[in-house]
Amino acid sequence: MENNEAPSPVQMFQTLTAYQDTGALKAALDLDLFTAIGEKGATAAELATRCEAAERGIRILSDYLTVLGFLEKKADRYHLTRDSATFLARNSPAYAGGAAEFLLGDHLTQAFANVAAAVRKGGTVLANGGSMAPEHPMWLSFARGMSWMMMPGAQALAEIAALDPTRATKVLDISASHGIWGLSFAQHNPRTRVVALDWAPVLQIAWENAQRMRLTARFSMIEGSAFEVDFGRDYDVILLPNFLHHFDPPACVHLLRKCHAALRENGRVAIVEFVPNPDRVSPPDAATFSLVMLVSTERGDAYTFAEFEQMLRDAGFTSIEQHSLPPGISTAIIAEKA
Amino acid sequence: MENNEAPSPVQMFQTLTAYQDTGALKAALDLDLFTAIGEKGATAAELATRCEAAERGIRILSDYLTVLGFLEKKADRYHLTRDSATFLARNSPAYAGGAAEFLLGDHLTQAFANVAAAVRKGGTVLANGGSMAPEHPMWLSFARGMSWMMMPGAQALAEIAALDPTRATKVLDISASHGIWGLSFAQHNPRTRVVALDWAPVLQIAWENAQRMRLTARFSMIEGSAFEVDFGRDYDVILLPNFLHHFDPPACVHLLRKCHAALRENGRVAIVEFVPNPDRVSPPDAATFSLVMLVSTERGDAYTFAEFEQMLRDAGFTSIEQHSLPPGISTAIIAEKA
């Protein structure tokens, strides 16, 4: 025994009720409570008016959020913390509450309602292969709500995999989603054109982001499945951001070979992934991602660097290297066409 | 600003995905994974056989539970932690996994799926007043799964509110559930008889516990609603364990007056509750309990000691005192018939 304290059921209890924390934060976003609190703070009575809710309900929810650390309570006034003001108030430029639409969408909540069934089967029990169903609406939620999480990594990747500025270059962004990964390359390189590939409804959001970033002149799109469409050819870089984890290694190798064929000589693939250490239980964010894939896809997983190395070699790549991307959750794996 | 670090969305992200931790632990209990691991530990392949599940599914779930701290992984073997061996392996005498049936029952998960609606209304949006519907089946789950949590507190309360051992005494246990609170008094006092009051289906579980504790000779039952049935009279102690939080203060006072009338001279009520501090945001377990009441009852709440004092005075009680009960989450409030 490493310590002499009595065994404790506290963590079991906290984990069995953790879903209640999720429910409380979701409610605050649904009610736009953080925006209503604003810079000056507010009482439950004031918030009840602003959120069109019962004062008693607001008081109890706000107390709960104070316990969780999302609010501070002084006398009977609730105030935003710095993190809440930055990420949870809708008028903040860094507002990230849109993530709730994806993270709490039916697809994921249904998948996590019966994890045991997926463990028994070894893959999702959702209809049509879960999140891999063609044009699954969850990817609209993802593109709308999750792009903010990708921005720091996308900016870093465009520098890590820098393109030759002295000539015209071309980037293919596979499973482009919001388009931020590819658009960051176009932003960094005035002579780079970007081709975004995804389901048609999702590309609408990438197009809007291209408009917002004033990059439509160097932005084009391919609609459909990466396994089926023609990629075109002579790309300098092909991006695979958060895509390979949905598939088993043979499917990944198949796709990497298709990328290999579409690259110019010495062209590179840049994979962005949650990459666990060889022990598969660290770091936490990458290691826990495997379960998301188990319950929501048929054969997906979070692969280690050694597994990606093997897949890339099998597909004909060389000079394989990895770079941690900010804010420290994702890893870029870059490899060259041999 | 108290610190110079950049604002972080990590807590938002963790809270929005906290329900996934709940889902993982529930799956492990459903599969009886902890029992299958046992004292010697096991590989994913061994567990797949024992749990009749896919090895890949077991590996991913076990890695996730390792990240959460419920397991330890050494090479490719998973081992129980001391807490898991004590509370999560079914062959442990302290097995507490039955709590999942109550904490993750439809009643609570449905209530927490739309917290915003309850905040708007100021009370549950579940049918028939939520958990207060007559003979709601959730109380069977509670009686079956949660009695282990009550045992240390029940033992302590029987000593704090000790009865005169020199004469015959009588205890009424309102909302007896598993019966543990009242039965602890009978266990401590050979001349004490206990009357347990609850819905008829729930009393079956209390009766089984009375049999297990060999106390049926001094144990009787009243079936029905505490607001409607005749209590009888001349009780030395009336217990109200985890009951008043379901109601608003006027209903609590009404019930306390009924208790007052059923007590002998100088008899006492002993209320067991989650009692937040006057700030209502500490301690965490008591403070967060308000939200459980908001979403699952029409008018319930977690009341402060000052609020209980007021209700008890209004009902004619005096000498009001509070005692923290082990393991430190619940409080006993004891008051005497004036």
Side-chain angles (χ1 to χ4, degrees), chain A residues 164-170 185-186 188-193 218:
Chain A
D164 183 349
T166 65
R167 62 175 178 82
T169 48
K170 204 167 77 162
F185 276 80
H188 275 69
N189 305 279
R191 301 189 63 186
T192 296
R193 287 190 300 121
R218 292 184 281 129

Side-chain angles (χ1 to χ4, degrees), chain B residues 139-140 142-144 146-147 150 154 171-184 194-207 209-210 213 219-226 231 238-244 246 255 272:
Chain B
W139 301 119
L140 282 170
F142 182 89
R144 275 195 299 261
M146 302 295 279
S147 61
M150 311 301 163
V171 170
L172 174 63
D173 186 2
I174 294 180
S175 75
S177 183
H178 38 69
I180 296 300
W181 295 98
L183 289 166
S184 295
V194 176
V195 180
L197 187 162
D198 212 317
W199 303 120
V202 176
L203 286 175
Q204 181 59 37
I205 295 166
W207 179 254
N209 284 328
M213 294 166 78
F219 185 77
S220 62
M221 302 183 285
I222 301 174
E223 300 173 356
S225 159
F231 287 170
I238 296 182
L239 302 173
L240 288 160
N242 300 309
F243 189 53
L244 295 181
H246 296 100
L255 193 74
V272 178

Side-chain angles (χ1 to χ4, degrees), chain A residues 1 3 5 7-8 11 15 19 22 54 56 59 68 73 82-83 87 103-104 119-120 122 279 300-301, chain B residues 1 3 5 7-8 11 15 19 22 54 56 59 68 73 82-83 87 103-104 119-120 122 279 300-301:
Chain A
M1 293 288 160
N3 70 66
E5 284 178 29
S8 166
Q11 205 201 350
T15 305
Y19 75 95
T22 305
R56 161 185 150 80
R59 184 259 297 170
L68 292 188
K73 187 177 184 182
R82 196 173 54 148
D83 287 349
F87 297 106
L103 295 171
L104 295 173
V119 172
R120 287 193 188 96
D279 65 10
D301 205 346
Chain B
M1 293 287 161
N3 71 68
E5 285 177 29
S8 166
Q11 206 201 350
T15 305
Y19 74 95
T22 304
R56 162 184 150 81
R59 185 259 297 169
L68 292 188
K73 186 178 185 181
R82 196 173 54 149
D83 287 349
F87 298 106
L103 295 172
L104 295 173
V119 172
R120 287 193 189 95
D279 64 10
D301 205 345

Side-chain angles (χ1 to χ4, degrees), chain A residues 239-320:
Chain A
L239 301 173
L240 288 160
N242 300 309
F243 189 53
L244 295 180
H245 53 236
H246 296 99
F247 310 101
D248 63 11
C252 291
V253 171
H254 174 79
L255 193 74
L256 288 168
R257 285 202 180 113
K258 189 172 170 181
C259 292
H260 191 276
L263 284 167
R264 71 191 291 275
E265 206 177 336
N266 304 120
R268 289 168 293 173
V269 285
I271 295 165
V272 178
E273 280 291 344
F274 304 108
V275 181
N277 293 327
D279 65 10
R280 290 190 181 280
V281 292
S282 66
D285 293 301
T288 53
F289 188 73
S290 274
L291 189 64
V292 181
M293 289 300 99
L294 179 77
V295 301
S296 66
T297 71
E298 288 184 323
R299 302 291 307 160
D301 205 346
Y303 296 108
T304 63
F305 180 64
E307 289 171 321
F308 278 117
E309 267 191 312
Q310 186 63 53
M311 294 182 222
L312 284 161
R313 291 226 170 82
D314 289 352
F317 288 93
T318 185
S319 305
I320 304 163

Side-chain angles (χ1 to χ4, degrees), chain A residues 34-312:
Chain A
F34 299 103
T35 315
I37 290 173
E39 285 180 17
K40 295 180 181 173
T43 64
E46 290 164 354
L47 293 170
T49 305
R50 292 178 201 167
C51 298
E52 299 181 6
E55 180 178 341
R56 161 185 150 80
I58 292 286
R59 184 259 297 170
I60 291 175
L61 177 63
S62 301
D63 285 341
Y64 195 100
L65 295 165
T66 303
V67 176
L68 292 188
F70 291 105
L71 297 178
E72 284 164 8
K73 187 177 184 182
K74 292 172 189 161
D76 63 347
R77 285 186 86 76
Y78 300 96
H79 299 269
L80 299 178
T81 63
R82 196 173 54 148
D83 287 349
S84 303
T86 306
F87 297 106
L88 296 171
R90 202 176 288 270
N91 47 8
S92 162
Y95 177 70
E101 185 187 330
F102 176 72
L103 295 171
L104 295 173
D106 287 345
H107 48 283
L108 277 180
T109 53
Q110 282 169 17
F112 274 96
N114 194 352
V115 173
V119 172
R120 287 193 188 96
K121 183 183 173 189
T124 188
V125 294
L126 298 179
N128 303 317
S131 60
M132 292 300 92
E135 303 203 355
H136 195 299
M138 70 185 278
W139 301 119
L140 282 170
S141 304
F142 182 89
R144 274 196 298 262
M146 301 295 279
S147 61
W148 62 275
M149 278 191 68
M150 311 301 162
M151 198 59 93
Q155 296 291 321
L157 184 60
E159 290 181 17
I160 292 167
L163 293 164
D164 183 349
T166 65
R167 62 175 178 82
T169 48
K170 204 167 77 162
V171 169
L172 175 62
D173 186 1
I174 295 180
S175 75
S177 183
H178 39 69
I180 297 299
W181 295 97
L183 289 166
S184 295
F185 276 80
Q187 204 173 31
H188 275 69
N189 305 279
R191 301 189 63 186
T192 296
R193 287 190 300 121
V194 176
V195 180
L197 188 162
D198 213 316
W199 303 120
V202 176
L203 286 176
Q204 181 59 37
I205 294 167
W207 179 255
E208 288 164 14
N209 284 329
Q211 287 181 310
R212 203 168 290 130
M213 294 166 78
R214 302 178 185 280
L215 291 168
T216 49
R218 292 184 281 129
F219 186 78
S220 62
M221 301 184 286
I222 302 174
E223 300 173 355
S225 160
F227 289 90
E228 291 167 13
V229 297
D230 181 10
F231 286 169
R233 53 189 304 146
D234 295 326
Y235 291 101
D236 295 272
V237 167
I238 297 183
L239 301 173
L240 288 160
N242 300 309
F243 189 53
L244 295 180
H245 53 236
H246 296 99
F247 310 101
D248 63 11
C252 291
V253 171
H254 174 79
L255 193 74
L256 288 168
R257 285 202 180 113
K258 189 172 170 181
C259 292
H260 191 276
L263 284 167
R264 71 191 291 275
E265 206 177 336
N266 304 120
R268 289 168 293 173
V269 285
I271 295 165
V272 178
E273 280 291 344
F274 304 108
V275 181
N277 293 327
D279 65 10
R280 290 190 181 280
V281 292
S282 66
D285 293 301
T288 53
F289 188 73
S290 274
L291 189 64
V292 181
M293 289 300 99
L294 179 77
V295 301
S296 66
T297 71
E298 288 184 323
R299 302 291 307 160
D301 205 346
Y303 296 108
T304 63
F305 180 64
E307 289 171 321
F308 278 117
E309 267 191 312
Q310 186 63 53
M311 294 182 222
L312 284 161

Side-chain angles (χ1 to χ4, degrees), chain B residues 137-175:
Chain B
M138 70 185 277
W139 301 119
L140 282 170
S141 303
F142 182 89
R144 275 195 299 261
M146 302 295 279
S147 61
W148 63 274
M149 278 192 69
M150 311 301 163
M151 198 60 92
Q155 296 290 321
L157 184 60
E159 290 182 16
I160 293 167
L163 293 164
D164 182 350
T166 65
R167 61 175 178 83
T169 48
K170 204 168 76 163
V171 170
L172 174 63
D173 186 2
I174 294 180
S175 75

Side-chain angles (χ1 to χ4, degrees), chain B residues 244-307:
Chain B
L244 295 181
H245 54 236
H246 296 100
F247 309 102
D248 63 12
C252 291
V253 170
H254 174 80
L255 193 74
L256 287 168
R257 285 202 180 114
K258 188 171 171 183
C259 292
H260 190 277
L263 283 167
R264 71 192 290 275
E265 205 177 335
N266 304 122
R268 290 168 291 173
V269 285
I271 296 164
V272 178
E273 280 292 344
F274 304 108
V275 181
N277 293 327
D279 64 10
R280 291 191 182 280
V281 293
S282 66
D285 293 301
T288 54
F289 188 71
S290 273
L291 188 64
V292 181
M293 289 301 98
L294 179 77
V295 301
S296 65
T297 70
E298 287 183 325
R299 301 292 309 161
D301 205 345
Y303 296 109
T304 63
F305 180 65
E307 290 171 320

